[in-house]
């Protein structure tokens, strides 16, 4: 855990944040455990540790250290969209926050997120870069759980897709929307094989199933795109399965 002032000074460098952070506890969780559940475990620990009896729930947020240029705060409302491995960087980092200031920040970020999604949908790469540089995470999703990458894929914006995959971690490629579909699923649905190739080469999880139990290859088959289906099945064989039961520190 780190203080907000330390985060503001070092938001561009997770190593510096780690130097001033305090190790609170170690927990055992599955790799596919989402942050919403992890918050429950952390809150239980923090409330037991707090001798003053103050409820610490909602007074902190997770940090996403998967980007090379800066460390982003994760909106608690979107914690269900992230697995532990999505933000794992030598442990899970959390930061104390001022609830009033955080509420104001979220309102501003919601507006910028809509600008980012619009730019991705329209293929406006310069706007995408501008909004990202203002501090909005490329992983931030809308109310449907769709990330900017989802929209770039759906609207067949290969340049934007290339930009996003080069600026996010591999785990961010596997963000799911409210149907459980990743950007790769969308690429199969909207028949954009070149973008499928880009996502696969970037490390997208080909074996990931949506909430209906379909992989991208299965969807390609249903869409009658046997060539794409064969390609995805071939690539799927070369990917290693994710390991479970990781231990991480907070």
């Amino acid at each position: 855990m780190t203080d907000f002032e330390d985060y503001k000074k070092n938001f561009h460098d997770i190593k510096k944040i780690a130097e001033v952070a305090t190790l609170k506890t170690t927990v055992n969780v599955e790799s596919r455990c989402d942050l919403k559940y992890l918050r429950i475990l952390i809150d239980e620990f923090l409330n037991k540790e707090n001798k003053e009896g103050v409820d610490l729930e909602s007074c902190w947020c997770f940090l996403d250290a998967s980007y090379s240029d800066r460390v982003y705060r994760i909106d608690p409302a979107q914690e269900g969209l992230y697995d532990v491995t999505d933000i794992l960087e030598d442990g899970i980092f959390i930061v104390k926050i001022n609830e009033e200031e955080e509420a104001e920040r979220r309102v501003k970020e919601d507006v910028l997120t809509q600008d980012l999604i619009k730019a991705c949908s329209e293929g406006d790469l310069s706007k995408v870069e501008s909004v990202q540089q203002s501090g909005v995470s490329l992983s931030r999703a809308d109310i449907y759980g769709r990330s900017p990458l989802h929209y770039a894929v759906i609207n067949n914006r290969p340049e934007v897709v290339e930009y996003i995959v080069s600026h996010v971690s591999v785990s961010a490629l596997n963000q799911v929307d409210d149907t459980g579909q990743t950007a790769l699923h969308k690429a199969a649905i909207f028949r954009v094989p070149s973008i499928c190739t880009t996502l696969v080469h970037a490390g997208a999880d080909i074996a990931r199933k949506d909430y209906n139990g379909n992989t991208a290859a299965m969807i390609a088959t249903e869409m009658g795109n046997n060539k794409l289906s064969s390609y995805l099945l071939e690539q799927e064989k070369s990917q290693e399965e994710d390991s479970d039961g990781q231990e991480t520190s907070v």
Side-chain angles (χ1 to χ4, degrees):
M1 174 180 277
T2 186
D3 290 325
F4 186 66
E5 289 303 316
D6 288 329
Y7 166 75
K8 286 200 298 185
K9 292 177 185 176
N10 303 300
F11 69 87
H12 60 286
D13 191 341
I14 189 60
K15 291 183 179 179
K16 290 185 178 179
I17 291 177
E19 289 175 0
V20 296
T22 302
L23 176 64
K24 288 294 184 180
T25 187
T26 299
V27 294
N28 289 309
V29 293
E30 297 293 324
S31 61
R32 288 289 173 87
C33 165
D34 66 32
L35 299 187
K36 189 174 181 180
Y37 176 71
L38 184 57
R39 171 177 283 275
I40 294 174
L41 300 181
I42 294 174
D43 278 335
E44 287 178 353
F45 171 80
L46 292 178
N47 285 319
K48 286 180 181 178
E49 183 188 58
N50 181 28
K51 297 179 181 179
E52 297 179 0
V54 179
D55 184 6
L56 297 179
E57 186 175 358
S58 301
C59 293
W60 60 270
C61 66
F62 288 103
L63 294 179
D64 183 354
S66 63
Y67 290 82
S68 60
D69 59 334
R70 66 179 291 153
V71 180
Y72 293 93
R73 285 172 284 175
I74 295 177
D75 185 343
Q78 299 204 347
E79 289 172 358
L81 302 175
Y82 291 81
D83 290 341
V84 169
T85 52
D86 291 341
I87 64 168
L88 190 62
E89 187 71 27
D90 295 327
I92 297 293
F93 291 88
I94 63 177
V95 59
K96 297 177 185 177
I97 58 175
N98 178 291
E99 290 189 85
E100 187 174 327
E101 291 180 359
E102 185 68 7
E104 293 178 2
R105 183 192 69 83
R106 287 176 195 161
V107 171
K108 294 178 181 178
E109 194 167 84
D110 284 343
V111 174
L112 288 172
T113 298
Q114 291 306 311
D115 290 341
L116 178 59
I117 287 174
K118 184 174 184 290
C120 288
S121 298
E122 296 177 349
D124 188 344
L125 185 55
S126 62
K127 182 67 173 179
V128 172
E129 294 174 336
S130 174
V131 176
Q132 186 210 5
Q133 289 168 6
S134 71
V136 178
S137 169
L138 290 172
S139 300
R140 187 171 172 81
D142 64 7
I143 60 173
Y144 305 106
R146 293 176 184 166
S147 68
L149 181 59
H150 279 101
Y151 284 99
V153 171
I154 290 170
N155 291 280
N156 193 14
R157 305 299 184 184
E159 289 187 1
V160 175
V161 171
E162 290 276 4
Y163 177 82
I164 293 176
V165 300
S166 67
H167 285 79
V168 300
S169 65
V170 172
S171 60
L173 304 180
N174 300 318
Q175 269 186 265
V176 299
D177 64 9
D178 57 6
T179 66
Q181 293 186 336
T182 65
L184 187 59
H185 285 100
K186 300 301 184 187
I189 291 172
F190 289 91
R191 299 171 179 266
V192 280
S194 62
I195 289 180
C196 279
T197 302
T198 297
L199 295 172
V200 169
H201 287 174
D205 184 359
I206 306 172
R208 187 87 175 225
K209 295 181 179 180
D210 64 17
Y211 295 151
N212 288 321
N214 294 317
T215 64
M218 292 175 183
I219 290 174
T221 299
E222 289 180 3
M223 300 294 292
N225 195 334
N226 294 326
K227 184 176 181 180
L228 177 58
S229 177
S230 296
Y231 167 75
L232 291 172
L233 288 172
E234 181 182 335
Q235 293 298 314
E236 184 178 335
K237 291 179 182 178
S238 67
Q239 286 193 343
E240 296 181 355
E241 295 183 357
D242 294 332
S243 59
D244 290 330
Q246 293 193 23
E247 181 178 89
T248 185
S249 300
V250 177

